[in-house]
PDB file of all heavy atoms in Angstrom:
ATOM      1  N   GLY A   1       0.298 -25.133 -16.292  1.00 53.00           N
ATOM      2  CA  GLY A   1      -0.527 -25.646 -17.339  1.00 53.00           C
ATOM      3  C   GLY A   1      -1.220 -24.461 -18.178  1.00 53.00           C
ATOM      4  O   GLY A   1      -1.890 -24.714 -19.041  1.00 53.00           O
ATOM      5  N   GLY A   2      -1.037 -23.236 -17.737  1.00 51.00           N
ATOM      6  CA  GLY A   2      -1.621 -22.106 -18.442  1.00 51.00           C
ATOM      7  C   GLY A   2      -3.021 -21.806 -17.942  1.00 51.00           C
ATOM      8  O   GLY A   2      -3.630 -20.922 -18.517  1.00 51.00           O
ATOM      9  N   ALA A   3      -3.468 -22.487 -16.964  1.00 53.00           N
ATOM     10  CA  ALA A   3      -4.735 -22.197 -16.261  1.00 53.00           C
ATOM     11  C   ALA A   3      -4.713 -20.809 -15.551  1.00 53.00           C
ATOM     12  O   ALA A   3      -3.626 -20.540 -14.959  1.00 53.00           O
ATOM     13  CB  ALA A   3      -5.164 -23.255 -15.395  1.00 53.00           C
ATOM     14  N   PRO A   4      -5.762 -20.027 -15.629  1.00 52.00           N
ATOM     15  CA  PRO A   4      -5.687 -18.729 -14.915  1.00 52.00           C
ATOM     16  C   PRO A   4      -5.709 -18.935 -13.395  1.00 52.00           C
ATOM     17  O   PRO A   4      -6.223 -19.934 -12.871  1.00 52.00           O
ATOM     18  CB  PRO A   4      -7.018 -18.094 -15.356  1.00 52.00           C
ATOM     19  CG  PRO A   4      -7.933 -19.218 -15.751  1.00 52.00           C
ATOM     20  CD  PRO A   4      -6.996 -20.241 -16.342  1.00 52.00           C
ATOM     21  N   THR A   5      -5.080 -18.006 -12.706  1.00 52.00           N
ATOM     22  CA  THR A   5      -4.994 -18.032 -11.290  1.00 52.00           C
ATOM     23  C   THR A   5      -6.116 -17.258 -10.707  1.00 52.00           C
ATOM     24  O   THR A   5      -6.850 -16.506 -11.427  1.00 52.00           O
ATOM     25  CB  THR A   5      -3.663 -17.466 -10.808  1.00 52.00           C
ATOM     26  OG1 THR A   5      -3.553 -16.171 -11.209  1.00 52.00           O
ATOM     27  CG2 THR A   5      -2.474 -18.355 -11.337  1.00 52.00           C
ATOM     28  N   ALA A   6      -6.398 -17.357  -9.331  1.00 59.00           N
ATOM     29  CA  ALA A   6      -7.478 -16.738  -8.687  1.00 59.00           C
ATOM     30  C   ALA A   6      -7.283 -15.218  -8.492  1.00 59.00           C
ATOM     31  O   ALA A   6      -8.145 -14.420  -8.406  1.00 59.00           O
ATOM     32  CB  ALA A   6      -7.699 -17.386  -7.324  1.00 59.00           C
ATOM     33  N   ARG A   7      -5.949 -14.758  -8.514  1.00 59.00           N
ATOM     34  CA  ARG A   7      -5.642 -13.388  -8.248  1.00 59.00           C
ATOM     35  C   ARG A   7      -5.664 -12.603  -9.636  1.00 59.00           C
ATOM     36  O   ARG A   7      -5.470 -13.206 -10.589  1.00 59.00           O
ATOM     37  CB  ARG A   7      -4.344 -13.123  -7.542  1.00 59.00           C
ATOM     38  CG  ARG A   7      -3.523 -14.160  -7.217  1.00 59.00           C
ATOM     39  CD  ARG A   7      -2.243 -13.716  -6.458  1.00 59.00           C
ATOM     40  NE  ARG A   7      -1.158 -14.445  -7.149  1.00 59.00           N
ATOM     41  CZ  ARG A   7      -0.227 -13.926  -7.980  1.00 59.00           C
ATOM     42  NH1 ARG A   7      -0.256 -12.683  -8.195  1.00 59.00           N
ATOM     43  NH2 ARG A   7       0.636 -14.608  -8.441  1.00 59.00           N
ATOM     44  N   ALA A   8      -5.775 -11.315  -9.497  1.00 62.00           N
ATOM     45  CA  ALA A   8      -5.775 -10.489 -10.669  1.00 62.00           C
ATOM     46  C   ALA A   8      -4.346 -10.424 -11.264  1.00 62.00           C
ATOM     47  O   ALA A   8      -3.351 -10.504 -10.590  1.00 62.00           O
ATOM     48  CB  ALA A   8      -6.267  -9.098 -10.299  1.00 62.00           C
ATOM     49  N   PRO A   9      -4.273 -10.280 -12.645  1.00 63.00           N
ATOM     50  CA  PRO A   9      -2.972 -10.225 -13.140  1.00 63.00           C
ATOM     51  C   PRO A   9      -2.222  -8.975 -12.655  1.00 63.00           C
ATOM     52  O   PRO A   9      -2.793  -7.877 -12.572  1.00 63.00           O
ATOM     53  CB  PRO A   9      -3.236 -10.136 -14.673  1.00 63.00           C
ATOM     54  CG  PRO A   9      -4.682 -10.269 -14.865  1.00 63.00           C
ATOM     55  CD  PRO A   9      -5.363 -10.258 -13.583  1.00 63.00           C
ATOM     56  N   GLY A  10      -0.966  -9.086 -12.405  1.00 65.00           N
ATOM     57  CA  GLY A  10      -0.142  -7.974 -11.956  1.00 65.00           C
ATOM     58  C   GLY A  10      -0.231  -7.739 -10.405  1.00 65.00           C
ATOM     59  O   GLY A  10       0.550  -6.911  -9.902  1.00 65.00           O
ATOM     60  N   ALA A  11      -1.157  -8.449  -9.745  1.00 68.00           N
ATOM     61  CA  ALA A  11      -1.320  -8.268  -8.344  1.00 68.00           C
ATOM     62  C   ALA A  11      -0.200  -8.993  -7.620  1.00 68.00           C
ATOM     63  O   ALA A  11       0.220 -10.080  -8.045  1.00 68.00           O
ATOM     64  CB  ALA A  11      -2.681  -8.793  -7.859  1.00 68.00           C
ATOM     65  N   ALA A  12       0.269  -8.415  -6.547  1.00 70.00           N
ATOM     66  CA  ALA A  12       1.360  -9.045  -5.796  1.00 70.00           C
ATOM     67  C   ALA A  12       0.784 -10.238  -5.015  1.00 70.00           C
ATOM     68  O   ALA A  12      -0.298 -10.254  -4.548  1.00 70.00           O
ATOM     69  CB  ALA A  12       1.962  -8.068  -4.776  1.00 70.00           C
ATOM     70  N   ALA A  13       1.613 -11.280  -4.933  1.00 69.00           N
ATOM     71  CA  ALA A  13       1.191 -12.454  -4.182  1.00 69.00           C
ATOM     72  C   ALA A  13       1.132 -12.184  -2.666  1.00 69.00           C
ATOM     73  O   ALA A  13       1.936 -11.383  -2.117  1.00 69.00           O
ATOM     74  CB  ALA A  13       2.224 -13.604  -4.394  1.00 69.00           C
ATOM     75  N   PRO A  14       0.181 -12.695  -2.031  1.00 74.00           N
ATOM     76  CA  PRO A  14       0.132 -12.417  -0.561  1.00 74.00           C
ATOM     77  C   PRO A  14       1.285 -13.009   0.141  1.00 74.00           C
ATOM     78  O   PRO A  14       1.755 -14.055  -0.087  1.00 74.00           O
ATOM     79  CB  PRO A  14      -1.199 -13.092  -0.146  1.00 74.00           C
ATOM     80  CG  PRO A  14      -1.528 -14.048  -1.178  1.00 74.00           C
ATOM     81  CD  PRO A  14      -0.864 -13.539  -2.428  1.00 74.00           C
ATOM     82  N   ARG A  15       1.805 -12.308   1.090  1.00 77.00           N
ATOM     83  CA  ARG A  15       2.993 -12.812   1.801  1.00 77.00           C
ATOM     84  C   ARG A  15       2.608 -13.175   3.202  1.00 77.00           C
ATOM     85  O   ARG A  15       1.759 -12.533   3.867  1.00 77.00           O
ATOM     86  CB  ARG A  15       4.078 -11.641   1.929  1.00 77.00           C
ATOM     87  CG  ARG A  15       4.621 -11.206   0.613  1.00 77.00           C
ATOM     88  CD  ARG A  15       5.627 -10.177   0.890  1.00 77.00           C
ATOM     89  NE  ARG A  15       6.831 -10.687   0.324  1.00 77.00           N
ATOM     90  CZ  ARG A  15       8.086 -10.141   0.331  1.00 77.00           C
ATOM     91  NH1 ARG A  15       8.162  -9.007   1.146  1.00 77.00           N
ATOM     92  NH2 ARG A  15       9.092 -10.639  -0.087  1.00 77.00           N
ATOM     93  N   ALA A  16       3.268 -14.212   3.722  1.00 75.00           N
ATOM     94  CA  ALA A  16       3.034 -14.693   5.109  1.00 75.00           C
ATOM     95  C   ALA A  16       3.717 -13.696   6.012  1.00 75.00           C
ATOM     96  O   ALA A  16       4.796 -13.083   5.684  1.00 75.00           O
ATOM     97  CB  ALA A  16       3.641 -16.082   5.252  1.00 75.00           C
ATOM     98  N   PRO A  17       3.100 -13.365   7.104  1.00 78.00           N
ATOM     99  CA  PRO A  17       3.710 -12.522   8.117  1.00 78.00           C
ATOM    100  C   PRO A  17       5.009 -13.023   8.609  1.00 78.00           C
ATOM    101  O   PRO A  17       5.184 -14.210   8.908  1.00 78.00           O
ATOM    102  CB  PRO A  17       2.680 -12.334   9.152  1.00 78.00           C
ATOM    103  CG  PRO A  17       1.796 -13.560   9.178  1.00 78.00           C
ATOM    104  CD  PRO A  17       1.842 -13.929   7.673  1.00 78.00           C
ATOM    105  N   GLU A  18       5.979 -12.138   8.709  1.00 75.00           N
ATOM    106  CA  GLU A  18       7.329 -12.482   9.190  1.00 75.00           C
ATOM    107  C   GLU A  18       7.223 -12.660  10.743  1.00 75.00           C
ATOM    108  O   GLU A  18       6.595 -11.792  11.409  1.00 75.00           O
ATOM    109  CB  GLU A  18       8.369 -11.544   8.723  1.00 75.00           C
ATOM    110  CG  GLU A  18       8.620 -11.493   7.295  1.00 75.00           C
ATOM    111  CD  GLU A  18       9.806 -10.683   6.864  1.00 75.00           C
ATOM    112  OE1 GLU A  18      10.637 -10.296   7.759  1.00 75.00           O
ATOM    113  OE2 GLU A  18       9.780 -10.140   5.677  1.00 75.00           O
ATOM    114  N   PRO A  19       7.928 -13.712  11.276  1.00 74.00           N
ATOM    115  CA  PRO A  19       7.886 -13.837  12.706  1.00 74.00           C
ATOM    116  C   PRO A  19       8.631 -12.649  13.359  1.00 74.00           C
ATOM    117  O   PRO A  19       9.682 -12.190  12.777  1.00 74.00           O
ATOM    118  CB  PRO A  19       8.527 -15.196  13.039  1.00 74.00           C
ATOM    119  CG  PRO A  19       9.325 -15.457  11.756  1.00 74.00           C
ATOM    120  CD  PRO A  19       8.633 -14.725  10.604  1.00 74.00           C
ATOM    121  N   ALA A  20       8.279 -12.269  14.527  1.00 78.00           N
ATOM    122  CA  ALA A  20       8.970 -11.122  15.213  1.00 78.00           C
ATOM    123  C   ALA A  20      10.238 -11.704  15.823  1.00 78.00           C
ATOM    124  O   ALA A  20      10.372 -12.881  16.286  1.00 78.00           O
ATOM    125  CB  ALA A  20       8.029 -10.650  16.378  1.00 78.00           C
ATOM    126  N   ALA A  21      11.286 -10.942  15.659  1.00 81.00           N
ATOM    127  CA  ALA A  21      12.510 -11.317  16.188  1.00 81.00           C
ATOM    128  C   ALA A  21      12.613 -10.939  17.686  1.00 81.00           C
ATOM    129  O   ALA A  21      12.078 -10.048  18.182  1.00 81.00           O
ATOM    130  CB  ALA A  21      13.604 -10.553  15.519  1.00 81.00           C
ATOM    131  N   GLU A  22      13.220 -11.901  18.449  1.00 82.00           N
ATOM    132  CA  GLU A  22      13.333 -11.711  19.829  1.00 82.00           C
ATOM    133  C   GLU A  22      14.862 -11.572  20.184  1.00 82.00           C
ATOM    134  O   GLU A  22      15.692 -12.331  19.582  1.00 82.00           O
ATOM    135  CB  GLU A  22      12.774 -12.899  20.614  1.00 82.00           C
ATOM    136  CG  GLU A  22      11.242 -12.947  20.466  1.00 82.00           C
ATOM    137  CD  GLU A  22      10.767 -14.013  21.439  1.00 82.00           C
ATOM    138  OE1 GLU A  22      11.169 -14.146  22.574  1.00 82.00           O
ATOM    139  OE2 GLU A  22       9.824 -14.730  20.966  1.00 82.00           O
ATOM    140  N   ASP A  23      15.111 -10.744  21.189  1.00 85.00           N
ATOM    141  CA  ASP A  23      16.477 -10.646  21.716  1.00 85.00           C
ATOM    142  C   ASP A  23      16.702 -11.820  22.658  1.00 85.00           C
ATOM    143  O   ASP A  23      15.795 -12.213  23.440  1.00 85.00           O
ATOM    144  CB  ASP A  23      16.729  -9.331  22.315  1.00 85.00           C
ATOM    145  CG  ASP A  23      16.848  -8.148  21.405  1.00 85.00           C
ATOM    146  OD1 ASP A  23      17.320  -8.429  20.303  1.00 85.00           O
ATOM    147  OD2 ASP A  23      16.478  -7.068  21.783  1.00 85.00           O
ATOM    148  N   LEU A  24      17.821 -12.429  22.690  1.00 85.00           N
ATOM    149  CA  LEU A  24      18.229 -13.558  23.556  1.00 85.00           C
ATOM    150  C   LEU A  24      19.111 -13.031  24.621  1.00 85.00           C
ATOM    151  O   LEU A  24      19.863 -12.120  24.434  1.00 85.00           O
ATOM    152  CB  LEU A  24      18.842 -14.595  22.767  1.00 85.00           C
ATOM    153  CG  LEU A  24      18.065 -15.251  21.578  1.00 85.00           C
ATOM    154  CD1 LEU A  24      18.889 -16.308  20.917  1.00 85.00           C
ATOM    155  CD2 LEU A  24      16.713 -15.831  22.012  1.00 85.00           C
ATOM    156  N   HIS A  25      19.108 -13.664  25.785  1.00 82.00           N
ATOM    157  CA  HIS A  25      19.979 -13.312  26.872  1.00 82.00           C
ATOM    158  C   HIS A  25      20.527 -14.678  27.397  1.00 82.00           C
ATOM    159  O   HIS A  25      19.914 -15.649  27.292  1.00 82.00           O
ATOM    160  CB  HIS A  25      19.222 -12.530  27.930  1.00 82.00           C
ATOM    161  CG  HIS A  25      18.259 -13.337  28.708  1.00 82.00           C
ATOM    162  ND1 HIS A  25      16.983 -13.634  28.226  1.00 82.00           N
ATOM    163  CD2 HIS A  25      18.318 -13.864  29.939  1.00 82.00           C
ATOM    164  CE1 HIS A  25      16.327 -14.288  29.133  1.00 82.00           C
ATOM    165  NE2 HIS A  25      17.087 -14.445  30.178  1.00 82.00           N
ATOM    166  N   ALA A  26      21.682 -14.535  27.980  1.00 82.00           N
ATOM    167  CA  ALA A  26      22.338 -15.686  28.540  1.00 82.00           C
ATOM    168  C   ALA A  26      21.745 -16.115  29.840  1.00 82.00           C
ATOM    169  O   ALA A  26      21.470 -15.300  30.682  1.00 82.00           O
ATOM    170  CB  ALA A  26      23.838 -15.385  28.746  1.00 82.00           C
TER     171      ALA A  26
END
């Protein structure tokens, strides 16, 4: 709708932390 957002213009959007990958074993 053109309403301003809470973050500053040009600031990167916060990213969710990526889950840690685990090695699997049989």
Side-chain angles (χ1 to χ4, degrees):
T5 59
R7 1 180 227 109
R15 299 182 117 185
E18 293 186 22
E22 292 188 41
D23 289 330
L24 303 178
H25 69 282

